Amino acid sequence: MGYSSAQAREFINHIAPIMQKEAFDRGYNIVSTAIAQAVIEGAAGTSKLARLYHNHFGMKAGQSWIKAGKPVVNM
């Protein structure tokens, strides 16, 4: 796991309002699954990828992203 339940609660309390606003602005009504995924993939904000690169979902860059010169990190 790598993070405590207290860290998970703190992360959820921080990220939930942000994700709810962004989701509702885009017409999505259910956000809990995305929040849960951010907790799991980003280790409640404690993973290196989440802390240093703000990637809480473990998203990968495809070739079109790389060819466009957009920022990437290789871990």
Side-chain angles (χ1 to χ4, degrees), residues 25-43:
D25 287 351
R26 290 167 172 74
Y28 297 102
N29 296 319
I30 300 172
V31 185
S32 57
T33 52
I35 293 169
Q37 194 68 29
V39 171
I40 293 167
E41 292 286 343

Side-chain angles (χ1 to χ4, degrees), residues 11 14-15 19 34-62 65 70-75:
F11 177 76
H14 172 75
I15 203 166
M19 291 182 72
I35 293 169
Q37 194 68 29
V39 171
I40 293 167
E41 292 286 343
T46 65
S47 74
K48 183 177 180 181
L49 193 60
R51 284 183 295 107
L52 299 180
Y53 303 104
H54 311 289
N55 183 341
H56 297 278
F57 297 96
M59 294 175 68
K60 312 297 187 274
W65 184 272
K70 295 182 180 179
V72 297
V73 61
N74 188 356
M75 296 183 74

